[in-house]
Amino acid sequence: MNFVKDSVNQQPIVDTVFVIVDRAKKAKAQFGEDAVVDATIGSLYDEGGSLVALDTVFDSLKQLDNRTLAKYAASFTGNPDYREAVERWVLGGNSHLFREVIATPGGTGAVGMTVNECLEPKQTLIAPEIAWGSYDLMAQMHGVDVAKYSLFDGDHFNMDSFERTCRAVMEKQDRLVIIINDPCHNPTGYSLSEAEWKRIVDFLNECAKTHAVVLLNDIAYIDYSYRGDEAKRYFRVFDDMSDNMVVIVAFSLSKSMTSYGLRCGAAIILGKTKAAVDQVRTVFEKDARATWSNINNGAMAMFVDVMNARKDAYLAEKQNYVDLLKTRSDLFMKEADEAGLAYYPYKEGFFVTLKMDNATRDAYHEALMAEHIYTVKVNKGIRVAVCSLPVDKTRGLAKRMKEILDRIG
């Protein structure tokens, strides 16, 4: 007898990331901090091993009136000043399309809303084969299939695989819903060039002659790009999209504001026509009301205050950690190159991912843990979280990892 809908997958969820994080924590307790390399945590940590919580952000939050923290937001779509601040911050004047902003519980809310409301059950979502695992879980819970495109052809985006995957899905359904996690891709750290983005939009415009196209651009890590404001210039390419296409940008305060637990973000809907944007906005508004009803008012007020009154201080404080992230990733890649340890093309971001088939990955992951090196398995690779790995633990790590890989043959 079922007490839940018959179509839902009832297999218990096992979050492999948190399982390995727990194993690393137990190893530290047993063998000591110095003996363990913990490259599992997908949050930003400082050199002392503490979670980074930007002072400019949390000083702002703490100075808010208790009633501001306690009350409901002005609307289930988010406070107007928050939506305006998100639009200015994210787009940075690089888009001239019609747009609407809806507050969501983190970037996850924007992604889940898109999967739920833009595809019918049994239709197919298009996503990269190396990706954040929750994309698949969201699709599964909404009864949606997933088609995967190969992310890389050598050291650049695999446009041929992307096109083949889209064309195959077009033969089965009347629309395309596509996820591209960029810039600072999770988990490889790749960022598309503006020329690659232009090729993608040109191709999708061709698809849009016969099919509706929804492009979900997950930008969770954009504010840790090594290029600063330059990282947002690719939004200009979207201005050339077809009338029969919309872009939904999934923005998250979790990374940008180091406020992971406050659960606040936004879906930014972009389109060439107001009618297209309004259609998506209407359905998203209803989804928001029916699903989470209200977004954290304090988090929205904090973001507005940081943008209006503390922006320069915030940017300076955040840049210290962007620079630290680059120091760690540069060191790891330099030593990986010297050791001959293969990794996917990394440009910027929280993670570097080692390249290997899944059978090798499984044996290698166990061998690493036997040497007290804790990482996270992803499809076709091993994720190394340089975001949380101090420089002294990063130094020499690639060489050790290559030696372990050679031993398992």
Side-chain angles (χ1 to χ4, degrees), residues 258-274:
T258 64
S259 56
Y260 310 94
L262 290 179
R263 307 314 303 142
C264 189
I268 306 169
I269 308 161
L270 303 174
K272 206 65 175 284
T273 69
K274 185 175 184 299

Side-chain angles (χ1 to χ4, degrees), residues 299-340:
M300 289 190 286
M302 171 272 291
F303 183 74
V304 171
D305 178 63
V306 170
M307 291 294 103
N308 290 345
R310 306 167 190 257
K311 186 175 177 181
D312 289 345
Y314 159 75
L315 287 170
E317 185 181 11
K318 179 171 70 71
Q319 188 61 44
N320 291 331
Y321 293 104
V322 174
D323 293 343
L324 178 59
L325 189 58
K326 189 172 190 306
T327 297
R328 294 169 177 173
S329 59
D330 284 352
L331 176 59
F332 183 83
M333 288 189 297
K334 175 180 177 293
E335 295 188 346
D337 291 341
E338 291 170 351

Side-chain angles (χ1 to χ4, degrees), residues 12-139:
I13 184 172
V14 177
D15 193 311
T16 54
V17 175
F18 285 99
V19 168
I20 301 302
V21 168
D22 185 61
R23 287 186 65 172
K25 187 182 298 183
K26 289 176 179 175
K28 291 176 199 175
Q30 181 176 357
F31 302 107
E33 291 276 349
D34 292 342
V36 175
V37 174
D38 184 359
T40 64
I41 304 169
S43 304
L44 188 62
Y45 274 61
D46 64 21
E47 286 296 279
S50 297
L51 178 69
V52 172
L54 295 174
D55 290 337
T56 44
V57 169
F58 289 95
D59 287 350
S60 170
L61 187 70
K62 291 172 184 176
Q63 62 84 37
L64 293 174
D65 186 274
N66 286 350
R67 293 165 185 80
T68 299
L69 297 172
K71 72 179 183 179
Y72 285 123
S75 166
F76 53 84
T77 60
N79 297 334
D81 57 353
Y82 171 74
R83 299 200 305 269
E84 292 170 8
V86 166
E87 178 187 321
R88 289 195 308 271
W89 173 250
V90 173
L91 299 179
N94 289 299
S95 174
H96 303 91
L97 296 166
F98 290 98
R99 77 283 306 270
E100 291 285 350
V101 178
I102 295 177
T104 59
T108 304
V111 176
M113 177 187 280
T114 302
V115 174
N116 190 29
E117 299 300 343
C118 294
L119 286 166
E120 302 286 354
K122 302 301 181 184
Q123 286 191 322
T124 299
L125 172 71
I126 298 171
E129 67 177 359
I130 305 170
W132 182 43
S134 289
Y135 296 149
D136 283 351
L137 182 59
M138 291 178 200

Side-chain angles (χ1 to χ4, degrees), residues 45-283:
Y45 274 61
D46 64 21
E47 286 296 279
S50 297
L51 178 69
V52 172
L54 295 174
D55 290 337
T56 44
V57 169
F58 289 95
D59 287 350
S60 170
L61 187 70
K62 291 172 184 176
Q63 62 84 37
L64 293 174
D65 186 274
N66 286 350
R67 293 165 185 80
T68 299
L69 297 172
K71 72 179 183 179
Y72 285 123
S75 166
F76 53 84
T77 60
N79 297 334
D81 57 353
Y82 171 74
R83 299 200 305 269
E84 292 170 8
V86 166
E87 178 187 321
R88 289 195 308 271
W89 173 250
V90 173
L91 299 179
N94 289 299
S95 174
H96 303 91
L97 296 166
F98 290 98
R99 77 283 306 270
E100 291 285 350
V101 178
I102 295 177
T104 59
T108 304
V111 176
M113 177 187 280
T114 302
V115 174
N116 190 29
E117 299 300 343
C118 294
L119 286 166
E120 302 286 354
K122 302 301 181 184
Q123 286 191 322
T124 299
L125 172 71
I126 298 171
E129 67 177 359
I130 305 170
W132 182 43
S134 289
Y135 296 149
D136 283 351
L137 182 59
M138 291 178 200
Q140 178 191 104
M141 295 306 293
H142 294 309
V144 168
D145 296 329
V146 183
K148 303 290 183 71
Y149 59 89
S150 177
L151 196 57
F152 298 114
D153 179 8
D155 63 355
H156 57 272
F157 183 72
N158 194 333
M159 193 68 200
D160 288 343
S161 176
F162 182 79
E163 291 182 6
R164 285 196 305 271
T165 306
C166 289
R167 288 194 179 103
V169 172
M170 288 170 70
E171 294 179 0
K172 301 188 299 181
Q173 61 193 51
D174 62 351
R175 76 198 70 171
L176 292 177
V177 179
I178 302 156
I179 296 178
I180 296 181
N181 173 207
D182 183 83
C184 308
H185 174 264
N186 173 11
T188 68
Y190 188 72
S191 291
L192 292 163
S193 68
E194 194 165 324
E196 286 173 320
W197 265 116
K198 188 175 188 313
R199 286 189 66 192
I200 289 167
V201 171
D202 287 346
F203 169 71
L204 293 179
N205 282 341
E206 288 297 312
C207 298
K209 291 177 179 178
T210 56
H211 289 64
V213 176
V214 177
L215 173 61
L216 174 64
N217 182 197
D218 182 352
I219 63 164
Y221 297 86
I222 194 168
D223 289 315
Y224 286 85
S225 166
Y226 301 156
R227 296 168 289 146
D229 287 343
E230 287 293 311
K232 300 177 181 179
R233 287 175 62 84
Y234 76 94
F235 288 128
R236 300 177 304 173
V237 176
F238 295 155
D239 283 4
D240 295 328
M241 75 168 70
S242 160
D243 290 0
N244 203 31
M245 177 177 168
V246 295
V247 173
I248 298 162
V249 179
F251 171 63
S252 172
L253 265 63
S254 298
K255 312 300 184 302
S256 299
M257 299 284 121
T258 64
S259 56
Y260 310 94
L262 290 179
R263 307 314 303 142
C264 189
I268 306 169
I269 308 161
L270 303 174
K272 206 65 175 284
T273 69
K274 185 175 184 299
V277 172
D278 284 348
Q279 182 189 73
V280 177
R281 172 187 54 80
T282 297
V283 175

